[in-house]
Amino acid sequence: MVPDPSPGSDGPGGPVPPAIGAERLGWLDALRGIAAIVVALHHGCYNYLPQFRHEILQWLDPGSVGVLLFFLVSGYIIPASLERTGSLRRFWISRLFRIYPLLIAVLTATLLLGVTGLSPLRQGLGESSEPLGAVLAHLTMMQDLLAVPSALNVLWTLSYEMVFYLLVVALFALGRLDRHSAGIATALAVAALGLGAVLPTAVLSSRLGVTTVAVTTALVMTAAIALACSSRAWIARTGALLGGALAVVLVLANARIEAWEGLALLGVMFAGTAIHRAERGQISARAAAVAVAAVLTAAIGGGLWNLTVYAPGQTEAVLKRSWVIGIAVTALLFAAGMALRHRRTPRRLTRLGMISFSVYLVHPVLLTISDLTIGRPRTDAPLLLVPYLLAVLIVSHLTYRCVEAPLQRLGRRLARRTAPVRPPVLPAAGRGEDGKDTSGPSEREKPGSPPGGDRATRITR
């Protein structure tokens, strides 16, 4: 998934106790760090522990746990990032400067490995029959919704993160973000169960062509973000709604995965938002609990109803069992994080959360280089996993220091210069029922990270 605002960033428009700050919300950094390492180790097992990986997947898919955990964290904190300033312009500047520098760096490294002949290019980057469509799909981060294979196996999650951004911005513009997250999560869960199995996949790209849809998406998305950054309220609202409409159309009519799964993933993110609202007293705990239960039911029920074997050696029973257990483990991890949220988070875990976006994007490139140098052992070689993990942490620290952090600082400076703290985009956003401003105090931002994982089950193929 993409980088999220740090737990140090203050939350949504709602009553905020004065004690809330980076220390209290450091548990989110810890969860991101854990999720990133789980994903990196999950992929490392492909190379170095194939037998162990096979045994683990009989019961649990670690990749799906990392993905779902990242999505929950994103849902919990992303709307808070927007409402903290009330500025769509600041939000989009922050998002773009957090995501694209490292994304472009790793895509460049992948492309160089391919054009030099050291590693075969995945179809999504350089061997597509429609290269323009493939490039534009990756530049918009919407490739998983444009029928384009991801150049790196972890990039598919960025598509759903971007959809979430577009939907959150649209809901903010409509004044429906602050107190309606539980209803939205529940509606997505119902849609996943009721419509997900019958909606088509990639219907637009198959009928109109990948390039046509990718070009149209790039143009509409660029226009939507540009308009949303306007200082004129009606123009900003128009851009926000245009982006939201684009997201809805692509999820319902052009996703590469089944619609039930995409809707369930979005439901997970909005469930995270509902939990955050309930914690801040903006909605009732009962409403949040109903939303969470609905999303869990949709995710589990959708998997049990729709998951089928798609790779040699799999059985449907094992696939569904690992999916259900993965959802349960994700819920338990997030619940444990919340239960410990008032305690001081170990510094190493918060640091790991800080570099988790780098861990997420860098480790597939390092695995490619490992394939080119030492190859893959035929049997388990656990000693190779240690230098791999060290290399991931060291390189991720360097990419964070040299790529992520400098560009994020630049983005923050640009946002402060070009965007007021609370532009007249949506007067109602971040206000209580009596119309009074209920936004909490802003706090220092720290970088965050995205969800990651390929999909060893349906969600990690």
Side-chain angles (χ1 to χ4, degrees):
M1 215 134 282
V2 290
D4 299 329
S6 161
S9 302
D10 190 31
V16 182
I20 288 180
E23 186 173 314
R24 173 174 174 179
L25 294 180
W27 62 281
L28 292 176
D29 268 334
L31 289 180
R32 278 199 293 264
I34 291 170
I37 286 298
V38 166
V39 169
L41 289 175
H42 171 66
H43 291 152
C45 287
Y46 280 92
N47 289 50
Y48 310 122
L49 298 175
Q51 297 168 332
F52 176 75
R53 171 184 168 272
H54 175 75
E55 295 300 323
I56 287 293
L57 289 178
Q58 300 301 304
W59 296 94
L60 173 68
D61 175 22
S64 66
V65 172
V67 167
L68 293 171
L69 191 57
F70 269 125
F71 280 151
L72 266 174
V73 172
S74 290
Y76 186 95
I77 202 65
I78 284 292
S81 174
L82 172 57
E83 292 174 336
R84 184 176 58 85
T85 61
S87 169
L88 298 184
R89 185 184 300 174
R90 288 179 73 111
F91 175 80
W92 280 120
I93 291 174
S94 172
R95 294 296 87 206
L96 297 179
F97 274 86
R98 284 178 183 273
I99 299 168
Y100 276 98
L102 186 61
L103 175 63
I104 291 173
V106 296
L107 286 176
T108 300
T110 304
L111 184 61
L112 288 175
L113 288 172
V115 298
T116 56
L118 295 176
S119 176
L121 282 172
R122 291 171 66 92
Q123 186 183 20
L125 187 62
E127 292 186 342
S128 171
S129 59
E130 300 186 59
L132 176 60
V135 170
L136 288 176
H138 281 81
L139 289 179
T140 59
M141 299 195 307
M142 290 290 221
Q143 71 281 348
D144 212 66
L145 298 165
L146 297 175
V148 174
S150 295
L152 291 172
N153 59 354
V154 297
L155 296 185
W156 70 272
T157 56
L158 297 185
S159 297
Y160 288 91
E161 282 279 340
M162 180 58 76
V163 164
F164 184 62
Y165 294 167
L166 293 170
L167 292 177
V168 164
V169 166
L171 290 167
F172 179 78
L174 289 173
R176 295 291 185 267
L177 181 58
D178 52 354
R179 298 180 182 274
H180 295 78
S181 52
I184 294 167
T186 303
L188 287 167
V190 172
L193 287 177
L195 299 176
V198 300
L199 291 172
T201 58
V203 64
L204 298 178
S205 292
S206 62
R207 293 182 179 181
L208 303 177
V210 169
T211 299
T212 299
V213 179
V215 169
T216 302
T217 297
L219 292 174
V220 173
M221 186 171 160
T222 301
I225 294 176
L227 292 173
C229 292
S230 172
S231 58
R232 294 181 178 272
W234 70 272
I235 296 178
R237 186 176 288 109
T238 299
L241 297 180
L242 179 63
L246 173 67
V248 170
V249 168
L250 291 180
V251 168
L252 296 181
N254 208 51
R256 189 170 61 90
I257 62 176
E258 290 85 351
W260 74 266
E261 187 177 345
L263 292 169
L265 293 177
L266 292 172
V268 167
M269 285 188 265
F270 278 104
T273 307
I275 293 171
H276 196 257
R277 302 303 192 199
E279 184 186 17
R280 296 296 181 89
Q282 293 176 299
I283 63 174
S284 68
R286 179 179 180 180
V290 169
V292 171
V295 170
L296 287 175
T297 300
I300 292 173
L304 293 176
W305 183 262
N306 296 296
L307 285 177
T308 57
V309 173
Y310 61 90
Q314 285 184 330
T315 66
E316 188 170 310
V318 167
L319 190 64
K320 293 179 177 179
R321 181 174 64 198
S322 66
W323 169 253
V324 173
I325 293 176
I327 292 173
V329 169
T330 303
L332 289 174
L333 284 173
F334 193 83
M338 288 202 70
L340 299 173
R341 66 189 183 279
H342 296 290
R343 299 188 179 186
R344 177 178 290 275
T345 305
R347 184 179 180 86
R348 291 184 179 180
L349 281 180
T350 57
R351 181 66 184 177
L352 184 60
M354 187 181 299
I355 66 170
S356 56
F357 188 38
S358 281
V359 171
Y360 164 69
L361 285 186
V362 162
H363 79 268
V365 179
L366 295 182
L367 286 174
T368 299
I369 295 174
S370 175
D371 283 342
L372 296 173
T373 53
I374 65 176
R376 300 190 183 188
R378 295 183 179 179
T379 59
D380 287 355
L383 292 180
L384 292 178
L385 201 64
V386 176
Y388 157 69
L389 185 58
L390 289 175
V392 168
L393 294 175
I394 292 171
V395 175
S396 296
H397 175 75
L398 292 175
T399 53
Y400 169 75
R401 290 288 300 273
C402 300
V403 180
E404 285 193 79
L407 273 296
Q408 287 172 11
R409 288 194 295 268
L410 176 61
R412 287 194 292 271
R413 289 197 298 269
L414 181 62
R416 285 194 296 267
R417 292 175 182 175
T418 62
V421 172
R422 189 173 293 279
V425 172
L426 186 72
R431 298 179 182 271
E433 293 178 348
D434 58 357
K436 295 181 179 179
D437 188 1
T438 57
S439 297
S442 62
E443 308 224 4
R444 178 175 62 90
E445 283 190 331
K446 295 185 297 184
S449 70
D454 70 338
R455 303 183 181 186
T457 66
R458 205 61 157 180
I459 196 172
T460 55
R461 58 172 169 259

